[in-house]
Amino acid sequence: MKKRIKPFTLLLQLMITGVLTFVESYWVMKPYDNQPSSSCLDCILELDLFWLSAITIIIIGLFLLISNWLKMKKPIQLILNMVILIGLWLWINNIIFIEREASWSTFTTTEEWISTLWISFFPILVCGSIYFCILYFLVYKKLNEKI
């Protein structure tokens, strides 16, 4: 019988997701902090990242609940979780890059994505590795232990 995800484990995973999403996006977008957003001249970067991190938590939370309901195997769930999270991180970085840099210049859509990928590669690699290790050793290994 497969173990169901516990509420504490789910909350822990979502907290880790939110914190690392904020850290990764802030790391990538810190050089654009002083530039105004094209949609809101008074908005600060941290507040934008907070709300985008909240959206990420909701999406990952829904994924975890659905994958648990479908009784997905843990390795597949972990890999899909990583793929979704990395996609969300790229999406967040691209949104902020467009708002704070590309909208004030002449970037094509391709150039926006190339720039976003270029500046996001190392932070996503580092934060993704940390996320994977935390989830694998603290969450998934713990779920497989017999108490």
Side-chain angles (χ1 to χ4, degrees):
M1 183 172 150
K2 290 190 176 190
K3 293 183 181 182
R4 300 194 72 79
I5 194 165
K6 296 177 183 174
F8 175 76
T9 304
L10 179 64
L11 286 175
L12 178 65
Q13 188 167 353
L14 293 178
M15 285 181 7
I16 293 167
T17 301
V19 168
L20 279 175
T21 298
F22 187 87
V23 167
E24 186 278 331
S25 299
Y26 189 76
W27 182 2
V28 172
M29 293 298 135
K30 181 61 179 159
Y32 306 106
D33 188 21
N34 293 329
Q35 294 176 304
S37 172
S38 63
S39 62
C40 173
L41 296 175
D42 294 334
C43 293
I44 59 172
L45 177 65
E46 292 80 7
L47 188 60
D48 291 344
L49 294 178
F50 172 79
W51 289 114
L52 289 168
S53 295
I55 291 169
T56 302
I57 290 170
I58 292 168
I59 293 170
I60 293 294
L62 288 173
F63 166 74
L64 291 173
L65 291 174
I66 290 168
S67 64
N68 192 45
W69 179 69
L70 294 174
K71 297 181 180 167
M72 197 178 288
K73 293 182 180 181
K74 295 300 177 190
I76 294 172
Q77 184 183 18
L78 181 60
I79 290 168
L80 287 176
N81 189 354
M82 290 296 301
V83 169
I84 292 169
L85 186 62
I86 288 171
L88 287 169
W89 285 351
L90 285 171
W91 173 71
I92 290 170
N93 294 343
N94 192 46
I95 287 173
I96 300 295
F97 181 77
I98 289 170
E99 286 287 315
R100 296 190 178 265
E101 177 66 21
S103 62
W104 301 106
S105 188
T106 54
F107 281 87
T108 65
T109 304
T110 305
E111 290 171 337
E112 290 170 357
W113 277 105
I114 289 171
S115 297
T116 301
L117 289 169
W118 179 255
I119 61 177
S120 300
F121 178 75
F122 186 70
I124 285 177
L125 182 67
V126 171
C127 291
S129 298
I130 292 169
Y131 185 79
F132 181 83
C133 290
I134 289 172
L135 290 188
Y136 182 75
F137 290 112
L138 294 181
V139 177
Y140 293 105
K141 277 288 201 184
K142 189 174 186 178
L143 287 175
N144 291 329
E145 290 177 357
K146 294 182 180 179
I147 301 174

